Amino acid sequence: MTAVDDRPATDAASPSGEVGRDRRRKEDQRLITGRTKWTDNLQLQGMLHLAMVRSPVAHARITGVDATAAQESQGVIAVLTGEDVKDLQGSLPCAWPITEDQKAPPHPAIAVDRVAFSGEIVAVVAARTAAAARDAAELVDVDYEDLPAVLDLKAAAADEALAHPDLGTNRSATWVFDSAEAGTGSSVDDAIAEADVVVEREFRQQRLIPAFMEPRSTVVDPTGEQFVMWSATQVPHILRLMLAMTLGVDEGKVRVIAPDVGGGFGGKLQVTPEEIITFLMARHTGRPCKWTETRSESLLSAHHGRDQWQKLTLAARSDGTVTGLKVELLADMGAYLGLVTPGVPILGAFMFNSIYKFPAYHFACTNVFTNKTWTDAYRGAGRPEATFAIERIMDELALELGRDPMEVREQNWITHDEFPFTTVCGLEYDSGNYEAATDRAKELFGYDELRAEQRRRRESGDRVQLGIGISTFTEMCGLAPSRVLGSLNYGAGGWEHASVRMLPTGKVEVITGSSAHGQGHETAWSQIVADQLGVPFEDVEVLHGDTQISHKGLDTYGSRSLVVGGQAVINAAKKVIEKAKPLAAHQLEANVDDLEFRDGKFTVLGAGEDQEGIGLAGLALAVFAAHDLPDGMEPSLDADATFDPVNFSFPHGTHLCAMEVDTETGATTMRSYVCVDDIGNVVNPLIVEGQVHGGLVQGIAQALWEEAVYDDQGTLVSGSFVDYTLPTTADTINFVTDRTTSPATSNDLGVKGVGEAGCIASTPAVVNAVLDAIRQYGVEDILMPCTPERVWRAIQEGNAGARAETAEDAAGHFIQGEPNQDPPGPSGTGDAPTSTTTTTQEGGQA
């Protein structure tokens, strides 16, 4: 059962009340019925189909490529190898060099003399049919000379073998933030030295695969005045620019179209080898070319996400007040640097402190290469990794102190009356109310009642134990402020562009630089413009995803579309009103300063309620005719706007999870899940619910099911949905969701962003719940995903050292109001600093 927000429309809404209203998405009819324009649906005259030849080995020299048999195969038009295009293909772009001395190998679209991961492309076949291309690709004979494959993250950091021998090291870059050096806080080393309690833990973020619904697909038509590329991409504008820069093509001769795109989750925030190759083959043959990946190709070679080793050291006083946080990361880049690969862990750097008032903070991340598929943005991009680690270690601190973990969080978080609050990282959180979200979540969850049930089960030695997990989080959304991105050496700005066009019939066209891949832009933008201009929702048409129609934009990622793109739309709509005002005054024979605009009409102040006024539709027709315009007025009401915010937005929330764990089998069952998010004002509650539910499932899936696993040769063994375990509706439960509202101050709508919230918050809530259920068996940690086998093994291994602790003693851990008298730890008394370390290890499924 879902608790739907029944609050009235926010102050951001006009009297027409579209903003804040449930609206079924305009897009749904064509998307749900399949009557839409996916890239793979495109059929062009004379079009060729491509098949990629991929390396079966993780690291090797290419000693020979024989494409003769493939070239002679029926229906084959062309075969290209790395040697054929080595002077044409350039190197795939990385837009975020995080340090001046960052090391990066060349990244060819087609490998020339060496492959660095299993799945790297070594040749491409173009044929008249997709089947002929696939058959011929099997005939390309490639000789390899094996090289040592670097697969273990810590071994890679130690340079035990080299993923790219020419670099001389696997370390790409080390990025450091220190609050004492930055002047935003004190020394973390001093905080640790002076602490009553020091908690040190290691965590492992497993490698994940975005697994979007629509496989990647690209079509390139070279036959007109421009190269036209259709691609299932999140970033058509960025892709166009990077194609031009990588291949040396005139940008004005390239048009990129992102038609309806079936999901992305960051996995389509990329300039891919296949896009470059399809472009090269189209130019080589002079014919349209199409490439569409198989699902196995997608899992193997589309970029992966996460994959970090994390070490956290938290300092606190004996009363539970946190005094310092030290974070050390190793982040696996995989074989190459993608578009924003090195910057993903850095986004997390600003979120490890989360909602807590740490006076001292130190963050250091080393990015390393391995011979695996490269990593890049995946839903949340750095923020889920940070949230997981801080929420896990806050539970560990509570365990050290023998206190309820919610109490420890409440003691240390920023209170609602302290906003705006400048964090130890130097970010200004503009608004929030963690108390309100938490109180509502506990009420819906039945927190005290579940704690009591948990205590009874522990005391009775029930085979099925109950665990309660907490995640109180915030995230940095609206990836945008250009000056901030510039300070981080990011290769682009963060502004967004929009246009509003008034058609002579009174209808409205909105052109946005933010293109959707499932978020509902066409509906939400229509609601915003309907309110701003006072026109019917149905009269607004939203255009996006085509660089020739939407000529400016920075695309969709980082929960930025509404926060940044939505504000650009508002600014453009306001300009339309301002441009219409002189014409309205002219027709009403009034002074411009005496006009009022409301519900789509201009009226004269003080002229009474009976006046007819004049609407935008009439003014649009008058401008089109241009028969009677004020002197000097151009015949147009259309307006453009570009918005670059000065700050991020900071949604937050409290997520509570109850997990039941069968201690004899390790099986886990989700009993209940409640989340109360504060995403500021809401444009469309129905869309928000969908975003939250989808995010929850993805975050829960990381906790319980998903993991990309390689064998010791570097072969992806979870290369199909048989082995890479995605949840279905049968694997999840009904979530209880609700919202509190503290409007953002960085945009007129007061919105904060919601696309990544569920994914960021849910993973630690679930893992904390699983651990909470079995702590009394001596279990300190479980590698994600928490499969039944891993849970069972953790219980068996923990039992050996934990049987001395009675069920009665263990019941005090994490039970509100009944702390242990002697917190666990080496000192046992709580008088001296305590430090415990959980060391995780590399590897796949246990």
Side-chain angles (χ1 to χ4, degrees):
M1 164 174 200
T2 301
V4 178
D5 187 2
D6 58 0
R7 288 180 291 274
T10 67
D11 292 338
S14 81
S16 60
E18 280 294 337
V19 169
R21 178 182 176 184
D22 279 334
R23 275 282 193 183
R24 291 190 181 276
R25 300 193 311 177
K26 288 183 173 183
E27 306 92 322
D28 282 347
Q29 181 63 29
R30 70 174 191 271
L31 294 175
I32 292 172
T33 62
R35 297 171 184 242
T36 188
K37 294 180 181 178
W38 309 115
T39 302
D40 191 45
N41 290 349
L42 293 170
Q43 299 295 329
L44 304 181
Q45 186 173 1
M47 186 169 67
L48 303 177
H49 297 262
L50 307 188
M52 306 298 166
V53 181
R54 298 182 184 274
S55 168
V57 296
H59 195 199
R61 291 188 184 90
I62 300 172
T63 58
V65 180
D66 184 355
T68 305
Q71 185 70 67
E72 295 174 351
S73 183
Q74 185 175 3
V76 171
I77 302 302
V79 180
L80 292 177
T81 67
E83 188 66 30
D84 295 329
V85 297
K86 66 179 182 180
D87 296 327
L88 303 173
Q89 64 181 334
S91 179
L92 269 75
C94 173
W96 201 342
I98 60 171
T99 64
E100 295 297 329
D101 61 350
Q102 175 175 285
K103 293 180 173 61
H107 188 178
I110 306 179
V112 178
D113 51 19
R114 187 174 61 89
V115 292
F117 70 98
S118 175
E120 185 164 6
I121 298 167
V122 295
V124 56
V125 175
R128 290 187 174 90
T129 67
R134 288 193 296 268
D135 289 344
E138 296 289 334
L139 301 177
V140 177
D141 187 16
V142 184
D143 293 327
Y144 299 99
E145 180 185 313
D146 287 345
L147 295 170
V150 181
L151 305 171
D152 181 276
L153 188 52
K154 288 187 177 181
D159 286 338
E160 294 179 8
L162 297 179
H164 295 282
D166 291 347
L167 290 182
T169 180
N170 293 319
R171 293 175 174 244
S172 175
T174 297
W175 191 91
V176 177
F177 176 88
D178 187 276
S179 59
E181 294 180 3
T184 57
S186 54
S187 165
V188 77
D189 290 335
D190 291 346
I192 292 170
E194 297 166 4
D196 300 321
V197 178
V198 175
V199 183
E200 184 179 281
R201 295 288 187 272
E202 295 185 15
F203 305 119
R204 187 71 170 91
Q205 284 279 322
Q206 78 269 41
R207 179 176 280 248
L208 301 174
I209 299 175
F212 28 74
M213 183 179 293
E214 177 205 18
R216 295 174 301 159
S217 183
T218 300
V219 174
V220 177
D221 184 358
T223 59
E225 294 297 317
Q226 293 178 306
F227 286 92
V228 182
M229 173 182 282
W230 292 264
S231 186
T233 180
Q234 297 176 221
V235 288
H237 296 90
I238 292 173
L239 176 56
R240 179 192 188 214
L241 174 63
M242 293 303 178
L243 284 171
M245 294 178 68
T246 301
L247 298 175
V249 182
D250 183 346
E251 186 181 357
K253 297 296 184 182
V254 179
R255 177 185 182 185
V256 174
I257 301 170
D260 284 327
V261 176
F265 311 124
K268 293 175 181 172
L269 197 177
Q270 197 57 261
V271 178
T272 69
E274 294 85 357
E275 287 164 331
I276 298 290
I277 292 168
T278 307
F279 193 103
L280 289 171
M281 185 60 86
R283 187 166 64 179
H284 176 72
T285 61
R287 295 172 62 173
C289 291
K290 176 195 283 187
W291 169 79
T292 300
E293 69 183 351
T294 65
R295 184 59 67 181
S296 294
E297 278 186 295
S298 182
L299 296 176
L300 176 67
S301 60
H303 77 244
H304 295 172
R306 312 285 194 260
D307 208 344
Q308 290 183 1
W309 169 85
Q310 305 171 313
K311 180 180 179 181
L312 271 68
T313 306
L314 186 150
R317 301 192 189 107
S318 57
D319 69 355
T321 303
V322 298
T323 57
L325 180 66
K326 185 176 184 179
V327 177
E328 301 166 79
L329 296 187
L330 288 178
D332 190 351
M333 304 289 95
Y336 296 107
L337 299 183
L339 196 62
V340 295
T341 301
V344 168
I346 307 310
L347 287 174
F350 300 96
M351 287 288 102
F352 275 90
N353 54 287
S354 189
I355 67 174
Y356 307 113
K357 293 182 285 190
F358 284 100
Y361 175 60
H362 179 91
F363 172 93
C365 176
T366 297
N367 292 342
V368 300
F369 293 111
T370 61
N371 294 118
K372 299 179 182 179
T373 302
W374 77 90
T375 59
D376 209 304
Y378 173 58
R379 197 170 191 172
R383 281 82 43 87
E385 297 92 312
T387 300
F388 177 83
I390 187 61
E391 287 305 286
R392 283 285 294 106
I393 205 165
M394 289 303 288
D395 263 24
E396 298 297 309
L397 174 62
L399 181 69
E400 290 287 330
L401 299 171
R403 291 178 57 189
D404 182 280
M406 187 65 84
E407 289 181 356
V408 174
R409 286 170 168 82
E410 291 171 345
Q411 177 180 339
N412 287 287
W413 68 34
I414 304 158
T415 59
H416 71 277
D417 56 0
E418 293 179 291
F419 288 96
F421 184 90
T422 301
T423 73
V424 72
C425 293
L427 295 181
E428 183 179 273
Y429 294 177
D430 61 331
S431 68
N433 191 328
Y434 309 138
E435 302 96 313
T438 300
D439 288 346
R440 180 60 175 154
K442 290 173 69 175
E443 175 189 352
L444 292 170
F445 189 66
Y447 187 83
D448 295 338
E449 293 83 354
L450 283 170
R451 284 293 187 200
E453 179 184 342
Q454 180 188 47
R455 182 169 59 251
R456 291 193 298 271
R457 290 199 190 193
R458 289 184 176 181
E459 291 170 348
S460 67
D462 197 319
R463 165 182 162 176
V464 178
Q465 288 291 309
L466 178 65
I468 296 171
I470 300 168
S471 177
T472 50
F473 83 106
T474 190
E475 58 163 322
M476 181 175 65
C477 272
L479 189 63
S482 295
R483 290 186 179 182
V484 176
L485 294 177
S487 72
L488 296 173
N489 212 31
Y490 182 63
W495 50 265
E496 195 48 81
H497 184 78
S499 301
V500 174
R501 300 173 182 165
M502 291 299 305
L503 305 182
T505 56
K507 310 295 185 182
V508 183
E509 285 183 342
V510 177
I511 298 88
T512 174
S514 173
S515 62
H517 45 279
Q519 295 89 341
H521 290 182
E522 293 174 34
T523 303
W525 272 226
S526 294
Q527 291 179 266
I528 292 169
V529 171
D531 275 5
Q532 291 292 319
L533 300 183
V535 299
F537 168 81
E538 295 77 11
D539 287 354
V540 183
E541 186 76 16
V542 179
L543 306 175
H544 58 86
D546 183 338
T547 60
Q548 195 144 296
I549 295 173
S550 170
H551 64 284
K552 292 176 66 176
L554 283 171
D555 305 318
T556 301
Y557 42 86
S559 296
R560 69 188 300 274
S561 292
L562 183 60
V563 176
V564 188
Q567 184 63 49
V569 169
I570 288 175
N571 290 352
K574 288 181 176 179
K575 288 183 177 181
V576 168
I577 295 169
E578 288 303 308
K579 290 183 76 170
K581 191 176 287 185
L583 178 58
H586 180 71
Q587 294 205 0
L588 293 172
E589 299 180 347
N591 191 293
V592 168
D593 296 333
D594 293 334
L595 293 188
E596 178 183 33
F597 182 77
R598 180 181 295 178
D599 296 339
K601 283 188 176 183
F602 287 98
T603 55
V604 180
L605 289 169
E609 297 181 0
D610 295 335
Q611 63 176 314
E612 186 174 340
I614 187 168
L616 276 179
L619 293 174
L621 184 58
V623 164
F624 173 76
H627 294 162
D628 185 21
L629 301 182
D631 292 341
M633 181 179 182
E634 63 177 11
S636 172
L637 297 182
D638 301 346
D640 296 342
T642 301
F643 176 63
D644 193 350
V646 297
N647 195 9
F648 301 99
S649 64
F650 299 96
H652 69 82
T654 296
H655 289 224
L656 301 174
C657 176
M659 295 292 295
E660 293 181 327
V661 178
D662 187 323
T663 58
E664 293 186 6
T665 66
T668 59
T669 304
M670 187 170 289
R671 164 85 169 269
S672 64
Y673 196 103
V674 169
C675 66
V676 177
D677 291 305
D678 187 332
I679 57 170
N681 292 330
V682 172
V683 172
N684 187 318
L686 197 61
I687 291 177
V688 165
E689 288 296 313
Q691 288 288 316
V692 171
H693 284 198
L696 290 177
V697 172
Q698 276 184 283
I700 293 167
Q702 178 177 4
L704 298 179
W705 299 298
E706 292 187 39
E707 183 178 25
V709 180
Y710 286 82
D711 66 16
D712 58 6
Q713 301 300 308
T715 301
L716 181 70
V717 298
S718 55
S720 75
F721 285 153
V722 173
D723 304 295
Y724 188 83
T725 314
L726 288 179
T728 69
T729 52
D731 300 306
T732 57
I733 65 170
N734 288 332
F735 309 115
V736 178
T737 67
D738 201 358
R739 293 187 297 278
T740 55
T741 302
S742 52
T745 62
S746 58
N747 59 81
D748 291 352
L749 286 167
V751 296
K752 296 182 177 181
V754 71
E756 296 163 303
C759 191
I760 291 170
S762 55
T763 307
V766 174
V767 174
N768 279 339
V770 172
L771 283 168
D772 187 39
I774 56 176
R775 287 279 191 183
Q776 68 269 32
Y777 299 101
V779 178
E780 295 181 326
D781 196 16
I782 303 173
L783 287 178
M784 292 188 291
C786 299
T787 61
E789 182 181 359
R790 283 184 175 171
V791 173
W792 180 84
R793 287 188 182 277
I795 293 171
Q796 302 312 305
E797 294 167 3
N799 270 333
R803 286 301 186 190
E805 185 177 14
T806 66
E808 181 180 354
D809 291 332
H813 297 334
F814 288 24
I815 301 296
Q816 189 173 26
E818 295 193 12
N820 283 347
Q821 294 301 312
D822 296 313
S827 71
T829 64
D831 295 329
T834 64
S835 176
T836 58
T837 303
T838 301
T839 304
T840 61
Q841 51 190 319
E842 296 282 320
Q845 298 279 5

